Amino acid sequence: MESLAQYIQTLTPQLSAWRRDFHHFAESGWVEFRTAAKVAEILDRLGYELAMGRDVVDAESRMGLPDDATLAHEFARARAQGAPEKWLAPFEGGFTGIVATLSTGRPGPTLAFRVDMDALDLSEALDDSHRPFREGFASCNPGMMHACAHDGHTTIGLGLAHVLKQNEAQLNGTIRLIFQPAEEGTRGARAMVAAGALDGVDYFTAIHIGTGVPKGTVICGSDNFMATTKFDVHFTGVAAHAGGKPEDGRNALLAAAQAALALHSIAPHSAGASRVNVGVMQAGSGRNVVPANALLKVETRGESEAINQYVFERARDVITGAAALYGVTAEIHLMGAATSSSPTPAWVDYLREQASQVSGVMHAIDKVKAPAGSEDATLMMARVQQNGGMASYMVFGTDLSAGHHNEKFDFDEQIMNVAIETLARTALNFPWTRGV
């Protein structure tokens, strides 16, 4: 498909412009108002059928949602930063998901591709050693930065939308492009699954670029994601004068500290790798006050769903025990979740066949094995597979200026062309029969 590669090459200036625009106006999870509005405008112009906001994001299933004041502030800022007014309204209040559908009118299965849109809560490096700053597209929003390539993922989704629309006559069945909010912290996928965004999907592919995979290598069935549960713990005690009446107090700080130490002593599981981490502890108001409130931000992970559940249940017991020990209460609030990944072997084989035909791909391999991070696209994969479909997760290797979640993160934009061509081939070469 030399003409396919040539057509994608003509899109390169636009792809770079989109990526740099999203990078410059970085928006973190559930507040991707400008990003989502821009994406919707582009997809509508192409002729895709759009489902947005509450139609694809279940309100009660959202996790780690900012407070109302933050949502309102970020919505107003998106408007001030040039979000297309026509497309803003569906996303207000933190409903920043989009599903774009291309129905060919010809019989065939539904192929879905998922990309994510959110930035990290991180301040970008602002010095000349960092290309985005040097070339004028570093984030203008303090404390928000695309340091995990989601600006590139969103752009890949838009590039794929252009290619498939350009070649619509060669397609059968239905194409569904899913633009997901709030992947960071594994917060957004559950709400889209609950809203039915994955229902009816026969073949599903999620993507990422970078992640330490070398340039020229494409992982076609990544299975190194750990199941995870992210949660906050609020300890509530009783304040008292630390010198005059300490016996009247109930020390929430000590309960939190006891829990933090004990959480890290949870025994590992013989069936596979597990993790627990207390990332934040906040407590107290003054040196002469028995602390009445404390907060822990915690995550558990497991190589399988069962292992993660084991760690989480142990963690809950530890927290309950620490609270009882100090006579305080503890409330656990779930903030994010993902499951482990199990790509469908037949779909992985097909993806590998397509990736191996793309210029610039030297190694198209099935997977890497070593439990590491977590990804909530696994919840989407699981829903498709539970419904009898096939699913996988692809990683496109590329050169990085710094590691993911680093203030100097940047990537080689040429990888966007490679990813777009691979995904386009996946749809255009598909045999359009069940059971690849």
Side-chain angles (χ1 to χ4, degrees):
M1 285 189 186
E2 184 177 358
S3 60
L4 175 61
Q6 290 173 341
Y7 174 69
I8 295 171
Q9 191 61 36
T10 68
L11 295 176
T12 297
Q14 181 63 77
L15 296 173
S16 180
W18 282 331
R19 181 260 163 158
R20 294 177 181 217
D21 178 75
F22 296 139
H23 191 96
H24 184 56
F25 295 100
E27 298 170 304
S28 57
W30 298 125
V31 299
E32 308 95 328
F33 300 118
R34 183 185 183 278
T35 304
K38 286 277 190 178
V39 168
E41 180 181 55
I42 294 165
L43 293 169
D44 177 72
R45 192 182 303 136
L46 285 171
Y48 280 78
E49 176 188 344
L50 300 184
M52 300 172 289
R54 294 174 184 270
D55 290 338
V56 297
V57 176
D58 179 69
E60 300 305 315
S61 300
R62 293 176 298 172
M63 306 180 83
L65 189 70
D67 59 38
D68 289 343
T70 299
L71 290 169
H73 175 268
E74 296 300 330
F75 189 78
R77 183 168 71 178
R79 176 177 280 130
Q81 291 180 340
E85 188 66 35
K86 176 182 177 181
W87 298 103
L88 261 177
F91 308 118
E92 187 171 7
F95 293 90
T96 44
I98 303 170
V99 175
T101 300
L102 179 60
S103 299
T104 68
R106 293 177 288 276
T110 296
L111 273 66
F113 301 91
R114 173 271 202 178
V115 294
D116 40 22
M117 300 187 292
D118 57 320
L120 282 149
D121 295 325
L122 178 70
S123 293
E124 187 159 8
L126 302 177
D127 63 67
D128 285 337
S129 67
H130 184 48
R131 182 181 66 149
F133 177 78
R134 190 170 63 248
E135 298 187 8
F137 65 96
S139 176
C140 66
N141 293 331
M144 295 183 184
M145 177 196 173
H146 276 292
C148 201
H150 296 191
D151 50 343
H153 301 167
T154 303
T155 302
I156 289 166
L158 292 176
L160 178 62
H162 274 72
V163 174
L164 295 182
K165 188 64 179 178
Q166 176 77 8
N167 295 276
E168 184 177 1
Q170 300 179 44
L171 299 170
N172 294 301
T174 301
I175 301 294
R176 195 179 297 180
L177 304 179
I178 300 170
F179 291 80
Q180 183 204 313
E183 187 283 322
E184 298 295 352
T186 61
R187 295 177 289 160
R190 189 177 78 153
M192 296 196 80
V193 169
L198 282 298
D199 293 352
V201 172
D202 298 294
Y203 301 94
F204 174 81
T205 306
I207 68 158
H208 210 297
I209 64 177
T211 73
V213 176
K215 181 177 181 178
T217 297
V218 176
I219 309 299
C220 300
S222 182
D223 66 352
N224 66 327
F225 295 120
M226 304 180 82
T228 186
T229 304
K230 323 284 190 185
F231 57 96
D232 292 349
V233 188
H234 295 268
F235 294 88
T236 303
V238 178
H241 193 294
K245 278 285 189 177
E247 69 276 14
D248 289 347
R250 297 293 180 269
N251 198 314
L253 184 156
L254 291 179
Q258 181 75 37
L261 291 173
L263 284 167
H264 283 272
S265 67
I266 293 174
H269 199 289
S270 62
S274 63
R275 305 280 192 274
V276 63
N277 188 59
V278 179
V280 173
M281 185 171 86
Q282 299 169 343
S285 57
R287 72 178 71 249
N288 62 346
V289 180
V290 174
N293 297 285
L295 167 69
L296 295 182
K297 295 187 177 184
V298 189
E299 67 172 21
T300 63
R301 301 184 197 242
E303 189 172 346
S304 68
E305 188 66 43
I307 295 172
N308 179 62
Q309 189 62 29
Y310 154 79
V311 181
F312 176 68
E313 289 175 358
R314 287 290 184 93
R316 194 164 48 195
D317 292 343
V318 164
I319 292 161
T320 299
L325 182 63
Y326 287 91
V328 305
T329 62
E331 294 184 357
I332 296 176
H333 301 276
L334 296 180
M335 304 299 287
T339 188
S340 53
S341 57
S342 299
T344 309
W347 189 235
V348 174
D349 290 344
Y350 178 71
L351 294 174
R352 188 181 63 250
E353 291 171 7
Q354 304 313 307
S356 65
Q357 299 175 50
V358 177
S359 176
V361 176
M362 294 177 287
H363 307 285
I365 61 179
D366 288 0
K367 60 185 178 180
V368 290
K369 188 65 178 176
S374 302
E375 233 282 11
D376 66 354
T378 53
L379 297 173
M380 296 182 173
M381 293 172 62
R383 173 57 65 91
V384 171
Q385 291 168 327
Q386 288 163 6
N387 290 341
M390 299 187 182
S392 191
Y393 192 101
M394 301 187 77
V395 179
F396 295 87
T398 188
D399 292 334
L400 304 175
S401 63
H404 290 261
H405 298 207
N406 183 283
E407 66 274 9
K408 288 191 174 183
F409 178 89
D410 191 22
F411 63 87
D412 180 355
E413 291 177 345
Q414 184 60 34
I415 192 60
M416 297 189 297
N417 294 48
V418 173
I420 292 167
E421 182 177 349
T422 302
L423 299 179
R425 285 177 177 273
T426 299
L428 294 169
N429 290 341
F430 188 72
W432 301 102
T433 58
R434 187 74 166 192
V436 174

